[in-house]
Amino acid sequence: MQDYNNGVFRKQKYALDANCYPHDCLELIRTPNEMYYIPLKVALFYLLNPFTILSCVAKSTCGLNNAVISLFILCTMKGSALLSAIFLALATYQSIYPLTLFPPALLFLLQRLNIPVNLCWPSFWLFTMQYAVMFLGSLCTIVCLSFFLLSSWDFIPSVYGFILSVPDLTPNIGLFWYFFAEMFEQFRLFFICVFQVNIFFYTIPLSIKLKEHPVFLIFMQIAIISIFKSYPTVGDIALYMAFLPVWSHLYRFLRNIFLVSCVLLACSTLFPVLWHLWIYAGSANSNFYYAITLLFNVGQILLVSDYFYAYLRREHHLMHGLYLKRKDGSEASLVLK
Amino acid sequence: MAAYKHSAVLLLCCFALVSDRTLASKPDQNRAEPEPGPESHARKSDAISPREDDSNREPEPEPAGSVQEDPGSRWQATEALDPAEEAAGTRRRAPNDQFQEELVIRPLSSGDIYSSFQFRTRWDTDFFKPGRKVANYRLFPKSLGQVITKFSVRELHVSFTQGFWRTMQWGPPFLSAPPGAELWVWFQDTVTDVDGAWKELTNVLSGIFCASLNFIDSTNTVQPSASFKPLGVGNVTNQKFLRYAVLPREIVCTENLTPWKKLLPCGSKTGLAVLLKSEKLFHSSFHSQAVHIRPVCQNWECKSTSWELRQTLNVVFDLHTSGQSKREWSLFKMFSRTLTEACPLASSSKIYVDVTDNSQGALFELSPSTPSLSQAVVLGDRRTYSVYDLVNPDAFGAQRSLNILLRWRTADSADALRPLLHGERYVAGYGLQTGEIHTLIYNNHPYRAFPVLLLDTVPWYLRLYIHTLSVTSRARDNKPSYIHYQPSKDRLRPHLLEMLLQLPPNSVTEVTVQFERALLKWTEYTPDPNHGFYVGHSMGVSILYSILGSWSSVAMDTNVCVSVFPCKEESTYFVRVYTEPLLVNLPTPDFSMPYNVICLTCTVVAVGYGSLYNLLTRTFQVDEPSPSLAKRLANIIRRMRGVPLL
């Protein structure tokens, strides 16, 4: 009986939602039937991703980081503010960058509790304070536990100082290592600050633009962290790529997907080749590997911005209709202005 | 007015002149070395050669009588007298420093010849007596005395070596030294900031020896916990006052030999130091010069200490490059000089030629022959030496010049004594990412096992995986009884690994550890980065049993002994074995590309920034194509006319 009621309720909700939108873009709205297999696809995308397998073979602790972030997303979706704060604190404790996931989680929980995101409303501030206190409290607890375990504060410069100041220049798939290996000494501090601010810097504008779409905001933040963090690994890439099936409905609006997938595939295969040529064969130098690093990161950036473009475009169509006409009635093209 | 000014100036000039004269008339009493005692003593001896070095020595001072003028200021500058002598009223004191020089020539079984010089200065003084500054230096070099005083040094050992001592071919050396520069210092317990003192000391020594010891910093300095014990007298051995650093890349040349020679009392003018000519010395297989300063006991009761400065120079001349492949060696062939006289300031000046294998002149002929022979147990082996005493003027013969000649009669050579302890080290692996350091230690004693303390210093840019450390002897695991490991910190300090290993008899022990190579910042590479980076040697320290069997002697404090040979025959002897330094290649970035890299990476970041900025700040709009120029002009005119637009 309850199942029947739930089903009827869902259908009514769907019909109500459908009425909000212009009639020609009904095909853009997703039905629950379509979305039935998305969790399975996400799991497959993560578990069968060659990058995940590579990070497991390397016995990297990236899997643990990914697990904590996934638990955090799960708890946020389920609406449990305390658990989500605890897992976010754990993720931040491991590496500082998940701190940027605080606003999307907050926005999602506010949306779930039907509190409008308006700076004048006291309930907004009340919930924000609550969530912030829970997060900061758990973070402080974990840090203090580490202090008692170690009996000194030495771990803070060793862990967080290391992540922020990038002393180790071992080649990886990111942009930092060669940049700081070739940096002029007097500009080193400046560029470290620039690169670190670059990660935290997109949080506010993205949150403002995507305040009604916190789930996509989480995806964007995770992607930005994976690309621009100081020591990225392929395990981090696997995490945000696992989300792509969730946005499979955006496929029709993606502009560069073929190019991007070719670039990513080619770079992934060229990485070990050029590494071997540089380190073992000695017939290439570090520039070869560096070039592939650059290309790989450009590919990732294009992928992320392409999905962002597609998302915003779909939103626009949902507002204004799918088939747009110009003033003279001919078919219009949509540009960013 | 002008007249007043001029007269004032004139008055000032006169005053200046007068004061200058009065000051100049007093001899430089505080600076001057001339003491009544040693000067008059030296005048009584036959030949005086004033010490020509950079310390402030006045050429011939006023006669002994005049020093009685100003006793007050005099006694401030000089040392306090022994109360007994003071009471005796004698102003003349026996000199409390002495200088001995020795040269040991040992032919090696491979046809090479090994010459070891030792110049030993002993001074019964206390640098650290409170309230009194030592200012009168006679035989002891002032620069080193000032170093000891300023940095509160208890012991100082610095060596500069070119070449590697081939233990298997040449046997054990008298005093081993690793290739490059090695410095270790024990500071006094009164030093509060040992690291600051160490830093200043290395810079000062680098100036004294014209070597680049200023490259010693925290990235190559370690504080070993067990490998070093003070070689001089002393009761407290707190390892925090010890610092050890090695520069394997350091090259030794004439620039380092010249200041080293200047520290000798006679310089290179007389005595054995006359033989030290750089064009021959550096044309050798092995050249090592060292300075060792330590406090020693004055006599057997050891109630007071005196300071000993030992300057040693070991050189091995190669049979083929220096010897023209002829087995005939002489002082002139080795050093292109002969000896004419001993150093007048030396109390003993001797040459020892190792004739152990040459009983009755069977192997080689030694001329000029000498009747005096001496025997000593050196490094566990009894050797016989022919002694030439240079203080005795008869040693120089009629031509007043001594050229010792060794001519081999037969082509075969004596069997070399197999060294008991020997070490080797190499890097294994391929590629620029990982590698493995293998250290092999050979114990060649037929039936005795002995412990060896191994000291390893590895720079921080080779990241050791200590969990892969393995020690095997005879293909079985050999667990060290003591391990001290200090991990490295990037750009701050190196790895330090000390292990006490028990070496089974007649075996090879292999210590392996894997490492990973780091990529450094482009400014941290040397100008020739593809040459590689030098990794310091490994050092093994052990007390070996002499092959001759056990001796009943009590282990004497060898500090009192004067010569290069130990004075008591002991059954055990201390040995320090060095392995080769390693040369390791690190992956290099492209040094021509800093600007390009910055531009390209910033471009990629800007691509990300730009696309996100676009999407964040712009909204979608229907694209209205803008009309062409002609239409726009037409529209302007139409608007002016008030007519509907195109």
Side-chain angles (χ1 to χ4, degrees), chain B residues 377 380 382 445 447-448 544-554 569-572:
Chain B
V377 174
R382 183 181 286 285
H445 202 286
Y447 53 86
R448 262 197 216 274
L544 299 183
Y545 286 92
S546 144
I547 285 265
L548 302 171
S550 58
W551 235 254
S552 58
S553 68
V554 169
E569 290 169 354
E570 295 172 16
S571 59
T572 58

Side-chain angles (χ1 to χ4, degrees), chain A residues 167-169 178-179 181-183 185 201-202 279-280 286-287 290 301 305 312 316 326 332-335 337, chain B residues 430-433 463 491 519 521-522 589-590 593-594 597-598 601 604 608-609 615 618-623:
Chain A
D168 180 16
L169 300 170
Y178 205 53
F179 187 70
E182 298 269 15
M183 175 54 63
E185 276 306 307
F201 165 75
Y202 295 110
I279 296 288
Y280 294 102
S286 50
N287 291 335
Y290 169 65
I301 290 170
S305 60
L312 290 176
H316 185 265
R326 270 200 223 122
S333 58
L334 215 53
V335 291
K337 276 218 177 92
Chain B
Y430 65 95
L432 293 175
Q433 190 178 11
R463 304 205 160 101
R491 302 182 177 93
L519 185 75
K521 296 184 209 171
W522 71 305
D590 188 349
M593 294 249 303
V597 166
I598 294 174
T601 310
V604 169
Y609 172 80
L615 291 166
R618 297 183 189 204
T619 52
F620 283 100
Q621 285 169 21
V622 173
D623 177 33

